[in-house]
Amino acid sequence: MEKMNCDIIRDLIPSYVDEVCSQATKECVEAHLDECGECRLIAARLRDSALSGEKLEQKGLDGLKKIKRALDYHRIINYGILLVLALYGIELFLAHNAGYAIFNRPWILETVCIIAVLASGLGRRDTRSPGRTAYLCGVFSFVLSIYCILLFCSFIMQLKPDMETIFGMEARKIGPFMNLQTAVVFIAQIGFFLYNLGCIIKQKQNCRWLLCLNIMGVFLAVNYDLHLYYMDSFETLKRAYLYATLEAVVPGVLGAGVSMAIAGAQKRRGGGEA
């Protein structure tokens, strides 16, 4: 009879532990547990198991919250970079305000933006390669950068103190023309940056190296526009053009290279874990 009682109680223990049984069943089980050490041990184990499940579930929820906070953090960084670049362009190309000290050393801001892009990818595993459109944006971004370099190289080579026409137009009109070219390149690079940022956030594609190329294109346009603004000597113009190009290209290429290396390492690690 005692064995039968234990079998019945053990069938009731799960509902007792989950607190879904009636009051009469609860009192009956508790009375039996007071007298039976073996059933009491079974009840304790079930209770510990239930608590462990709740803890695991809570850990899972905490993990999801941390991931969401991390994603928000990455978005804030990248949107912050976009906002800085946009405000930079508005001040420089629309308000024609080049008086800030940071504007005279654009490579500092470019380096900060690229480091922020690289930092925003830490802890993420965007193993998907950029799509065809993202690659096309990268190609157009690179072509625009080359166009900007060649345009100003040609401009510098033709520019002389007694020049009356450059590119088939009057010398007095060449300044506004070059300013317009840099502004168009700047806006296009911002557009490419925005598209690639969307690919990262919405599609989890690894486009950060493309962001670095976009930032490089932005600051090529900025550097050239600033040197037009501050140009005061024909003797130092070629050297200034070379410095302006290197100051934009070196951080951008290094940032893209580091980003691609990080992406490759994350992809190999993800493949190994899979």
Side-chain angles (χ1 to χ4, degrees):
M1 185 66 181
E2 183 66 27
K3 175 64 176 174
M4 185 180 68
N5 287 342
C6 286
D7 290 339
I8 294 173
I9 294 299
R10 288 172 188 177
D11 288 340
L12 297 175
I13 285 176
S15 59
Y16 166 75
V17 170
D18 292 337
E19 298 181 355
V20 294
C21 61
S22 65
Q23 183 63 28
T25 301
K26 179 180 178 182
E27 293 174 356
C28 178
V29 171
E30 288 178 346
H32 180 82
L33 294 181
D34 288 340
E35 300 176 356
C36 180
E38 189 175 350
C39 290
R40 188 163 55 246
L41 181 60
I42 292 173
R45 287 175 179 172
L46 281 176
R47 189 176 289 109
D48 291 342
S49 177
L51 290 174
S52 297
E54 291 177 2
K55 290 178 180 178
L56 286 173
E57 184 178 357
Q58 185 60 44
K59 285 183 178 179
L61 292 174
D62 292 342
L64 289 174
K65 290 179 181 178
K66 289 180 180 178
I67 292 172
K68 186 177 184 302
R69 285 196 298 269
L71 288 174
D72 291 341
Y73 168 73
H74 297 309
R75 290 185 182 186
I76 288 171
I77 290 179
N78 287 296
Y79 282 132
I81 295 171
L82 182 61
L83 179 61
V84 167
L85 294 179
L87 292 176
Y88 194 2
I90 291 171
E91 283 292 316
L92 187 60
F93 294 106
L94 296 183
H96 300 291
N97 185 354
Y100 296 123
I102 191 69
F103 281 4
N104 298 330
R105 295 291 183 271
W107 66 269
I108 297 175
L109 184 57
E110 179 183 4
T111 302
V112 170
C113 288
I114 288 175
I115 291 174
V117 166
L118 297 176
S120 71
L122 297 178
R124 290 175 60 96
R125 292 184 180 178
D126 301 326
T127 55
R128 292 185 60 193
S129 298
R132 181 180 300 177
T133 306
Y135 278 124
L136 284 175
C137 286
V139 170
F140 288 137
S141 175
F142 182 75
V143 169
L144 276 179
S145 296
I146 296 299
Y147 166 76
C148 212
I149 292 172
L150 294 179
L151 176 68
F152 273 82
C153 180
S154 178
F155 170 68
I156 297 300
M157 297 302 292
Q158 294 186 46
L159 191 62
K160 296 178 182 178
D162 57 348
M163 279 299 283
E164 294 183 359
T165 61
I166 301 177
F167 300 147
M169 63 182 69
E170 296 179 16
R172 62 184 179 83
K173 296 181 179 180
I174 195 65
F177 170 77
M178 299 299 285
N179 288 138
L180 178 62
Q181 298 297 303
T182 54
V184 169
V185 170
F186 181 93
I187 293 171
Q189 296 287 7
I190 289 291
F192 294 144
F193 184 97
L194 184 60
Y195 177 81
N196 289 324
L197 182 57
C199 290
I200 292 173
I201 293 175
K202 295 180 180 179
Q203 302 178 32
K204 297 184 179 179
Q205 294 179 355
N206 204 321
C207 297
R208 282 184 176 76
W209 61 277
L210 290 173
L211 293 185
C212 293
L213 292 181
N214 300 149
I215 292 173
M216 181 189 77
V218 164
F219 281 94
L220 267 174
V222 166
N223 283 5
Y224 291 152
D225 193 84
L226 282 174
H227 278 82
L228 283 175
Y229 183 87
Y230 287 112
M231 184 175 63
D232 58 357
S233 173
F234 287 95
E235 290 74 17
T236 61
L237 196 55
K238 292 182 180 179
R239 186 171 60 186
Y241 162 77
L242 178 62
Y243 287 159
T245 303
L246 291 177
E247 285 178 355
V249 170
V250 171
V253 170
L254 287 177
V258 171
S259 179
M260 292 176 71
I262 293 174
Q266 289 178 338
K267 193 170 184 179
R268 288 192 297 273
R269 190 180 303 119
E273 290 177 357

